[in-house]
Amino acid sequence: MNKTTNGWFSGMLGVLIFSGSLPATRLAVMDFHPLFLTVCRAAIAGVLAGALLLIFRQQRPIKSDIVPLLLIALCVVVGFPLLTALALQYVTASHAIIYVGLLPLSTAIFGVWRGGERPRPIFWVLSVLGSSLVVGFALINGASSSFIGDGLMLASIIACGYGYAEGARLSRRLGGWQVISWALFLSLPVMALLSLYFKPDSWSSTSVTSILSLAYVSLFSMLIGFVFWYRGLALGGIAAVGQLQLLQPFFGLLLSALLLHESIGWPVFMVNMGVVLCVAFARRFAVK
């Protein structure tokens, strides 16, 4: 297997792992409070990240890296997991996954801002079109949508997009998996204390499914997925392998149907297809 093929394979594994995040979160919030789920998954991943950094003796970030790493932790370690966990109390996982289709576009917009590039006018036209598809579907599909849930999902995509863009900028010097590991490790003391504070009074009524879902979002969504994802970007190229993320909504919908037995209608697939097309062309015209 050559370098490029290996990169695509690793990137696909990363996307598949991330695709299970929302369905697993949906299962976990049935027994765990969203605040506990957020801080606990970050604490577990932070312990593992610290062990990886110690085992591989990674160079410590310099002083100017601390603030960006804290911002990444705020957006990716805390913001996205917490906002999606709260949103999934109001909307189904299949409905929330529609917003994940906007994540590549959100990342591209913040990447343009942080990189100082000047996008073509058609980029903004496609951006507005894709956003309109999502907002329009959320407003029309009143049976499975919620104003609060939709707002929380939109906020989570904005936070995650900024976290990805900031992480991509910093990974040019520190390395991809090292960035998420340092962000998790820096947030570990606070996350560990909050985990103790928000821990359930009793675990007797907690189902095995919820515990396994917590383990998944802690081990895979917060850490292992990033290892494969950033490895794929490094080997296969950021622009090329990054397009694989456009497949995440479709994988997520299939998992929601299989694991949560949620009904997936044709309107959902049509909206996802429209968003994917808009994002794909928008990223193509991101810079002059």
Side-chain angles (χ1 to χ4, degrees):
M1 186 180 295
N2 59 40
K3 181 179 178 181
T4 301
T5 303
N6 199 355
W8 279 86
F9 181 73
S10 295
M12 181 61 73
L13 284 177
V15 169
L16 288 172
I17 290 173
F18 290 147
S19 298
S21 297
L22 286 180
T25 300
R26 174 72 172 177
L27 291 171
V29 296
M30 292 180 179
D31 289 324
F32 295 121
H33 191 278
L35 286 174
F36 172 75
L37 178 64
T38 299
V39 296
C40 185
R41 65 188 279 185
I44 295 173
V47 171
L48 295 176
L52 287 175
L53 292 169
L54 181 62
I55 292 173
F56 292 102
R57 299 180 180 181
Q58 293 301 302
Q59 180 182 359
R60 294 182 180 180
I62 60 179
K63 186 176 180 180
S64 61
D65 295 332
I66 300 301
V67 172
L69 284 171
L70 290 176
L71 289 174
I72 294 170
L74 180 63
C75 292
V76 179
V77 177
V78 179
F80 183 77
L82 177 59
L83 291 169
T84 53
L86 290 172
L88 287 170
Q89 291 186 315
Y90 300 93
V91 298
T92 63
S94 58
H95 182 81
I97 287 169
I98 294 175
Y99 285 89
V100 178
L102 291 176
L103 185 52
L105 181 56
S106 176
T107 305
I109 292 174
F110 282 112
V112 167
W113 171 47
R114 294 297 292 156
E117 299 173 345
R118 298 181 60 187
R120 299 178 182 181
I122 192 173
F123 171 80
W124 300 113
V125 173
L126 292 167
S127 299
V128 173
L129 179 58
S131 300
S132 298
L133 284 172
V134 173
V135 174
F137 179 80
L139 293 176
I140 294 173
N141 191 26
S144 61
S145 66
S146 162
F147 178 79
I148 297 176
D150 291 331
L152 289 169
M153 280 306 305
L154 183 59
S156 73
I157 295 304
I158 294 174
C160 194
Y162 179 83
Y164 278 179
E166 191 68 33
R169 185 184 68 85
L170 195 58
S171 66
R172 297 170 185 169
R173 191 174 60 80
L174 290 180
W177 73 267
Q178 291 89 337
V179 168
I180 188 61
S181 294
W182 281 115
L184 286 166
F185 184 71
L186 288 175
S187 63
L188 176 58
V190 176
M191 296 298 103
L193 290 175
L194 290 176
S195 296
L196 294 175
Y197 182 80
F198 289 113
K199 66 181 179 65
D201 296 330
S202 174
W203 292 77
S204 58
S205 60
T206 304
S207 66
V208 175
T209 300
S210 294
I211 295 177
L212 291 176
S213 299
L214 172 61
Y216 183 91
V217 295
S218 302
L219 301 178
F220 291 91
S221 302
M222 292 298 293
L223 184 60
I224 298 176
F226 280 98
V227 173
F228 286 110
W229 179 241
Y230 283 124
R231 183 173 183 270
L233 294 177
L235 294 177
I238 295 175
V241 178
Q243 299 301 310
L244 289 173
Q245 198 175 39
L246 301 178
L247 300 174
Q248 185 172 332
F250 296 101
F251 293 141
L253 286 172
L254 292 176
L255 288 173
S256 294
L258 292 174
L259 299 177
L260 304 176
H261 307 291
E262 294 182 355
S263 177
I264 308 299
W266 282 109
V268 177
F269 279 105
M270 292 178 65
V271 170
N272 271 281
M273 181 64 70
V275 170
V276 166
L277 290 175
C278 289
V279 172
F281 283 107
R283 289 177 65 90
R284 179 180 179 183
F285 297 106
V287 294
K288 293 182 179 180

